[in-house]
Amino acid sequence: MTKTSPLRILVIEDNAAIAENIADFFALKGDILDFAYAGEQGVELALTAYFDCIILDIMLPDIEGLEVCKRIREKADRHIPIIMLTARDTLDDKLAGFQHGADDYLTKPFALDELYMRCCALTLRHTNQKSERTLVLGDANKQLVLNYQRQQVTRAGTPLQLSPMLFGILKILMESYPRAVSKSELCERIWGEDGTDSDSLRSHIYQLRKAVDKPFATPLIKTIHSVGFALDI
């Protein structure tokens, strides 16, 4: 993935050693970083300066990262991509992060190059959304373009016939790319707390595959065993 300009990144992390490791790695890529070591300070910086992406720890000394994320979402005048960085790795923890407005979730210990690539992917994705209100993934016959206003998706320039439910599922998979989305998370985000049974979700995924993959030579929707679903672009 190629950047056209340095990333401006805010790291909200109270562990000095982790913050320094991130700083050293990203500096080698030519990026510009700023740091907050507490939640209140992080919120203030996020709302008063421009950042392409925020790396946010959950365990902070004053207020939790979940509350930091919530406040930024409520008060910021634009969508700032936020990656949760934490040792909490249960599904409930991850769902809580997404429910409070996180775009991605990376558990400790983590690889710095993976964190870097996720920051690049989120920044590029939201730059596309900001300029055109579209989300673009892949190229050639794998390219998916999602139009938010029209609630339409094309693949390789061909419009896909999607019901509102199928559009919602594909939108989650595209916004989560390259992360796999668990079945539980899909049910929670589509149907809310009541959820749905696995047979219903399986049926919707089948219909989505017919629309997205069947007319083309290369399938994009893959099943991750014991995890859920992801896009292969």
Side-chain angles (χ1 to χ4, degrees):
M1 185 176 301
T2 303
K3 299 182 303 180
T4 57
S5 60
L7 298 180
R8 300 186 64 88
I9 299 173
L10 172 61
V11 181
I12 307 175
E13 167 66 70
D14 66 323
N15 186 311
I18 292 177
E20 288 173 6
N21 286 338
I22 294 173
D24 291 342
F25 187 89
F26 279 69
L28 292 174
K29 304 291 185 179
D31 296 320
I32 302 167
L33 280 74
D34 206 344
F35 298 88
Y37 299 97
E40 294 284 3
Q41 181 189 22
V43 173
E44 181 179 357
L45 277 172
L47 298 178
T48 56
Y50 181 91
F51 296 101
D52 295 301
C53 187
I54 296 174
I55 299 171
L56 172 61
D57 186 25
I58 286 186
M59 298 298 293
L60 295 168
D62 50 356
I63 57 175
E64 275 203 333
L66 294 175
E67 179 63 22
V68 172
C69 188
K70 179 182 177 182
R71 293 187 190 181
I72 292 173
R73 287 287 174 258
E74 291 174 346
K75 298 179 180 180
D77 58 4
R78 67 183 185 90
H79 186 92
I80 312 169
I82 296 176
I83 299 178
M84 288 283 191
L85 194 62
T86 178
R88 298 180 181 178
D89 60 357
T90 69
L91 176 59
D92 286 343
D93 290 326
K94 294 177 182 179
L95 289 177
F98 293 122
Q99 289 165 356
H100 282 75
D103 296 278
D104 203 352
Y105 196 107
L106 188 60
T107 56
K108 300 176 182 178
F110 59 90
L112 287 166
D113 53 354
E114 180 180 4
L115 176 62
Y116 172 75
M117 289 305 296
R118 287 181 184 235
C119 286
C120 289
L122 280 178
T123 300
L124 178 60
R125 183 186 311 161
H126 288 279
T127 297
N128 287 336
Q129 287 180 235
K130 180 181 177 182
S131 60
E132 301 178 4
R133 291 303 299 158
T134 59
L135 174 54
V136 182
L137 297 178
D139 53 24
N141 73 321
K142 286 188 172 185
Q143 186 176 77
L144 290 175
V145 179
L146 183 147
N147 186 298
Y148 284 85
Q149 287 90 344
R150 299 179 183 179
Q151 294 202 349
Q152 294 177 342
V153 181
T154 62
R155 177 172 175 179
T158 301
L160 303 180
Q161 300 302 314
L162 301 176
S163 68
M165 182 67 72
L166 296 184
F167 176 86
I169 294 173
L170 183 57
K171 175 174 173 286
I172 291 173
L173 293 177
M174 290 181 67
E175 291 177 340
S176 301
Y177 176 81
R179 179 179 64 85
V181 183
S182 71
K183 297 176 183 178
S184 298
E185 182 185 336
L186 273 175
C187 291
E188 173 75 19
R189 294 177 65 179
I190 292 293
W191 290 283
E193 294 182 358
D194 294 336
T196 187
D197 59 82
S198 58
D199 288 340
S200 179
L201 177 61
R202 189 181 302 113
S203 175
H204 283 96
I205 293 295
Y206 172 76
Q207 295 296 326
L208 185 61
R209 282 191 164 113
K210 283 181 62 177
V212 176
D213 290 338
K214 188 175 181 180
F216 300 89
T218 306
L220 300 185
I221 302 172
K222 62 179 180 178
T223 300
I224 311 298
H225 182 65
S226 299
V227 178
F229 305 97
L231 292 175
D232 184 12
I233 297 180

